[in-house]
Amino acid sequence: MGETAGAARPWILLSPALGAIGFLLVVPVFFVIVYSFWLRSATGAEVPGFHLDNWQEVLSDPFYRDILLSTLRIAAITTLSCAVLGYVPAYFIATSRTRHKTLLLLLLILPFWISYIIRTMSWINILGVSGALNQLLVATGIISEPIQMLYNEATVILGLVHFLLPFMVLNVYVSLDAIDPNLADASRSLGASSMQTFREVTLPLSLPGLAAGGLLCFVLAAGTYITPLVLGGPRDAMFANLVFEAIITQLNWPLGSALSIVLLIILGGIVAVYNRLVGIGQIAKSFG
Amino acid sequence: MENTRRYERLLDRYRHGDVNRRTFLGLIGASATVYGVAGGPFAKFARAATPDQVRFDGWGGIVSEAFREHAFNPYTDKTGITVVDGTFGGADEYLARVRASQDGEFNLAHLSGVFDYSRYHSLGLSSELNEDNIPNLRNVIPALQQVFRNITDGKLSAVPYDYGTTSIAYNRKFISDDEVKEKGAKVMIDPAHKGKIGGWSDWKTRIWYGALQTDQDPNNIEDVEAVWDAIRANRDLVLKYWASGAELMSLLAEEEIHVTEGWSGRIKALQDQGHDIGYYDPPGGLGWQECIFVIKGSPMEACEELLNFMLEPEVAIAVAEGQNYPPALDPRKVELSDKVKALPAFDPGGTLEGLNFFDADYWNSNEEEWSKQYSRVERGY
């Protein structure tokens, strides 16, 4: 009897959290799945039932496939850019002997205190025709007329990198900070150059952090909606924009549900692969 | 039995030892879950629509400020009824919120166009106004009322409140008045302005202008493929499809774009700020009217009282001057201010015969197909 009670105790203790996850995550996703099999009527109201029309459309229409592939491509470029740009500051903070390391970390998370939309829109004032960069280039005589820099795929990626870079830096920093400094010293004492030490000791040991940051950046970039809306041109929509349009503009909640589930399955699959190869626990380390 | 009474009886039983602490808390928790899901006392707290307050949702920005200053605050002072003032980014987004809400949660909405009125009615969200409680309705332009009455069997679920146009706005520094007059809507498919053209990302407006660019009647399109081709031509020349009035103003003011369709009130605001922006109503240009819609399940008397207050000439004129759109008041019955008479789209005759509106039935019957197709065309298909 006592043994049974002991076995049940973890579940009892976990029940509030499990209940919250169940009500706030599992049940809504279940509803979304159910919705995906309904149909939209001519008035915009839903027709309950079990219909495969939405799934057939989503899975067979090249329009959705192309936008999905474009979304994954943009997310991959963003992730790679974040990795390249984020490693250097993370390495600097981790190896810095300054007393102000905490301040540097604080500066890293400072952008999170400002609204994501405001941060995204700030690029309009920087890259716009009458923005700061164009004014500077014209004033210095490098160009004679302002050039069009906004509203294309490059600015979408720029906005995403701006948004996601701190996630990458934090993950890489945690990974680098956990490396025993004696390992690098040992490598050098055995004759390795600084570059060899970095390539064969530091970089491999920091890969889990890089992978964790990469996963976060990729998943967040692939699910983004605001950045292409604000900084993209007519053709720069991402998959989440299609979900928004289906649900909000077209009032087609069943189709929007099917699109949401497709994105969920693909991103969930990527997370599952990551978990299999690296372990999801790596991400938790960067949050404390 | 009333819910509060139920709770008091349960509390009495607990205090007298008839139920233990665990049972008492369990019953409270269960009732909270049931009422939370089904809608009960907790949902009631979430609703803004109690007899002493009503909820109003509008477009935000200068429009909301005008409403708040000239209508809501004086109304609250006069009646003691609080107006909970919410905003939305777009009519579609707001409709999605309303559909996901419970009866009475949303009350009055500043909706755009007959198209939305019809959509709300089709989805069973319309109410029926008691016009006896809104005597100021008699000052409203009859043509604006009639289109609504046609949809709701002669009754009204909303009062018309203002109107405007979506016409061609252009920067005179780069495009002359003569060029716009000569080309009309086709100026927005002129390759000479590639990369400097904007447009509203609204499928109805895109199709309307696509029809004008192919010399068709937007309310009776015979060659829809030609319209899609015109939209594709426009898309390939466009720098950005804007999604809000603020974005429209920013793109024009910053000279990112030189020509776009624009909302008359927003363009007037830009002109007032000193920007040399021209505004031209092409033949067949698009007019629209906005209304204050009362959503089903709202406290009708309180809403009707607010509507009547909002239609008081001094209130409606003050709001109109604040938001730069002419009021729905009939200039043949109400003396309007000089500022209102100078607003773009203002019709001194009060008949609005010079404006073209969406034919709600026609556009609603094509909405499902066209909105989906537009999403593809915009993305390069």
Side-chain angles (χ1 to χ4, degrees):
Chain A
M1 186 71 181
E3 212 169 280
T4 312
R9 187 169 298 147
W11 293 107
I12 294 169
L13 292 171
L14 276 173
S15 58
L18 290 175
I21 290 170
F23 269 110
L24 300 175
L25 190 69
V26 179
V27 172
V29 170
F30 174 76
F31 278 123
V32 173
I33 292 171
V34 170
Y35 251 96
S36 73
F37 293 104
W38 291 11
L39 290 178
R40 177 201 192 275
S41 72
T43 60
E46 286 77 38
V47 181
F50 184 80
H51 308 277
L52 294 172
D53 302 43
N54 297 314
W55 284 99
Q56 199 174 355
E57 183 178 340
V58 170
L59 298 177
S60 64
D61 192 330
F63 171 67
Y64 298 115
R65 185 196 60 212
D66 291 353
I67 300 271
L68 183 61
L69 290 176
S70 168
T71 299
L72 297 177
R73 182 174 52 78
I74 289 172
I77 295 171
T78 301
T79 304
L80 197 64
S81 305
C82 285
V84 172
L85 294 172
Y87 201 96
V88 178
Y91 187 85
F92 173 76
I93 297 171
T95 56
S96 169
R97 295 185 196 283
T98 175
R99 290 182 292 119
H100 304 297
K101 202 182 259 192
T102 314
L103 182 68
L104 292 174
L105 287 170
L106 188 68
L107 286 175
L108 202 62
I109 58 170
L110 203 61
F112 290 116
W113 297 357
I114 303 168
S115 157
Y116 167 39
I117 297 175
I118 300 293
R119 275 183 284 152
T120 305
M121 294 193 77
S122 67
W123 285 106
I124 294 171
N125 293 321
I126 296 169
L127 299 178
V129 167
S130 50
L133 188 56
N134 261 317
Q135 283 188 356
L136 180 70
L137 292 174
V138 170
T140 51
I142 296 172
I143 55 173
S144 56
E145 283 185 4
I147 50 176
Q148 187 61 54
M149 291 185 257
L150 277 173
Y151 311 122
N152 50 51
E153 189 177 295
T155 47
V156 172
I157 292 170
L158 181 68
L160 286 173
V161 170
H162 177 204
F163 163 50
L164 296 169
L165 199 57
F167 290 99
M168 178 64 82
V169 177
L170 277 175
N171 275 280
V172 176
Y173 164 76
V174 169
S175 190
L176 286 169
D177 199 46
I179 297 173
D180 185 346
N182 291 323
L183 292 173
D185 292 343
S187 170
R188 286 196 197 94
S189 70
L190 290 171
S193 66
S194 294
M195 184 51 77
Q196 275 178 311
T197 300
F198 173 75
R199 199 173 59 234
E200 292 176 24
V201 177
T202 310
L203 183 62
L205 288 172
S206 65
L207 280 181
L210 208 53
L215 178 75
L216 273 179
C217 289
F218 187 88
V219 170
L220 291 172
T224 194
Y225 150 73
I226 292 289
T227 308
L229 196 71
V230 175
L231 296 177
R235 295 184 191 228
D236 299 315
M238 292 173 71
F239 204 74
N241 296 88
L242 298 186
V243 176
F244 175 86
E245 277 184 8
I247 289 178
I248 302 295
T249 308
Q250 298 161 15
L251 284 181
N252 196 338
W253 291 15
L255 179 65
S257 300
L259 290 169
S260 308
I261 297 295
V262 166
L263 193 60
L264 187 71
I265 288 170
I266 287 172
L267 297 182
I270 289 167
V271 172
V273 169
Y274 170 86
N275 188 40
R276 181 91 176 166
L277 297 177
V278 183
I280 205 85
Q282 182 63 35
I283 295 178
K285 287 182 192 169
S286 61
F287 293 105
Chain B
M1 188 193 299
E2 204 261 323
N3 291 314
T4 309
R5 183 74 190 135
R6 276 199 189 97
Y7 166 72
E8 286 170 355
R9 286 179 63 171
L10 181 64
L11 188 62
D12 278 346
R13 290 176 65 197
Y14 167 61
R15 282 174 175 162
H16 290 99
D18 296 337
V19 292
N20 61 27
R21 182 168 163 272
R22 180 174 291 185
T23 307
F24 173 71
L25 291 175
L27 287 168
I28 290 289
S31 66
T33 306
V34 168
Y35 282 115
V37 172
F42 298 97
K44 195 169 80 178
F45 288 127
R47 286 177 197 167
T50 55
D52 59 353
Q53 67 178 23
V54 293
R55 176 173 176 131
F56 178 92
D57 289 274
W59 295 88
I62 55 170
V63 180
S64 269
E65 284 169 24
F67 275 129
R68 205 173 301 126
E69 183 182 346
H70 301 296
F72 302 154
N73 291 345
Y75 171 77
T76 301
D77 292 343
K78 184 182 172 189
T79 64
I81 297 174
T82 307
V83 181
V84 179
D85 182 10
T87 62
F88 48 75
D92 298 321
E93 170 221 318
Y94 182 65
L95 178 54
R97 279 161 57 187
V98 170
R99 288 184 67 201
S101 70
Q102 298 181 25
D103 275 1
E105 197 173 327
F106 293 96
N107 308 135
L108 297 117
H110 191 194
L111 297 185
S112 182
V114 184
F115 178 83
D116 274 336
Y117 184 94
S118 179
R119 273 207 299 182
Y120 275 69
H121 180 60
S122 300
L123 290 167
L125 295 166
S126 52
S127 60
E128 185 178 320
L129 296 179
N130 179 354
E131 294 179 32
D132 292 339
N133 291 337
I134 316 171
N136 285 324
L137 192 59
R138 63 173 167 260
N139 290 330
V140 172
I141 296 171
L144 291 175
Q145 298 181 45
Q146 194 53 46
V147 285
F148 292 149
R149 292 186 193 280
N150 292 344
I151 294 168
T152 38
D153 298 328
K155 306 286 185 184
L156 285 175
S157 298
V159 296
Y161 203 70
D162 54 80
Y163 62 94
T165 54
T166 302
S167 296
I168 301 170
Y170 54 99
N171 189 327
R172 288 198 178 98
K173 205 156 96 181
F174 306 99
I175 299 177
S176 68
D177 294 342
D178 290 342
E179 181 183 349
V180 173
K181 272 180 193 155
E182 181 196 331
K183 294 176 181 169
K186 289 176 186 168
V187 71
M188 287 180 291
I189 52 170
D190 184 347
H193 302 298
K194 182 173 184 176
K196 289 297 174 188
I197 299 172
W200 188 12
S201 62
D202 166 60
W203 65 270
K204 297 190 298 291
T205 304
R206 296 262 55 79
I207 293 173
W208 183 283
Y209 270 87
L212 294 185
Q213 284 152 358
T214 52
D215 301 317
Q216 299 189 69
D217 175 1
N219 282 323
N220 183 25
I221 295 171
E222 291 179 354
D223 185 357
V224 76
E225 280 310 314
V227 171
W228 291 126
D229 285 343
I231 294 172
R232 287 186 185 100
N234 173 255
R235 172 205 66 198
D236 292 340
L237 302 173
V238 153
L239 173 69
K240 176 80 176 164
Y241 285 127
W242 45 269
S244 68
E247 197 178 8
L248 158 69
M249 291 173 73
S250 164
L251 285 167
L252 275 172
E254 300 291 324
E255 297 181 2
E256 292 284 347
I257 58 172
H258 299 165
V259 61
T260 176
E261 314 95 21
W263 300 333
S264 49
R266 296 287 183 160
I267 303 305
K268 177 75 167 65
L270 274 176
Q271 291 167 341
D272 290 347
Q273 286 169 18
H275 297 280
D276 190 14
I277 304 293
Y279 190 70
Y280 176 66
D281 281 312
L286 176 58
W288 42 262
Q289 62 181 95
E290 291 187 316
C291 64
I292 310 295
F293 189 92
V294 181
I295 297 166
K296 185 181 173 186
S298 299
M300 294 306 291
E301 283 188 19
C303 290
E304 285 155 0
E305 192 172 359
L306 177 57
L307 291 177
N308 193 54
F309 192 81
M310 292 175 82
L311 286 173
E312 288 284 349
E314 58 270 32
V315 175
I317 290 169
V319 171
E321 290 179 355
Q323 65 167 344
N324 285 325
Y325 292 114
L329 300 178
D330 192 335
R332 295 166 295 187
K333 296 178 182 169
V334 177
E335 181 56 36
L336 300 172
S337 66
D338 290 341
K339 191 175 176 186
V340 166
K341 289 174 185 170
L343 290 174
F346 174 70
D347 177 12
T351 59
L352 304 180
E353 283 172 358
L355 297 179
N356 305 286
F357 295 94
F358 285 112
D359 177 333
D361 288 341
Y362 177 73
W363 285 82
N364 271 323
S365 66
N366 289 297
E367 181 250 338
E368 187 178 5
E369 184 192 337
W370 287 358
S371 63
K372 195 186 265 189
Q373 176 67 6
Y374 173 69
S375 174
R376 287 155 196 265
V377 171
E378 186 185 353
R379 306 279 134 60
Y381 285 75

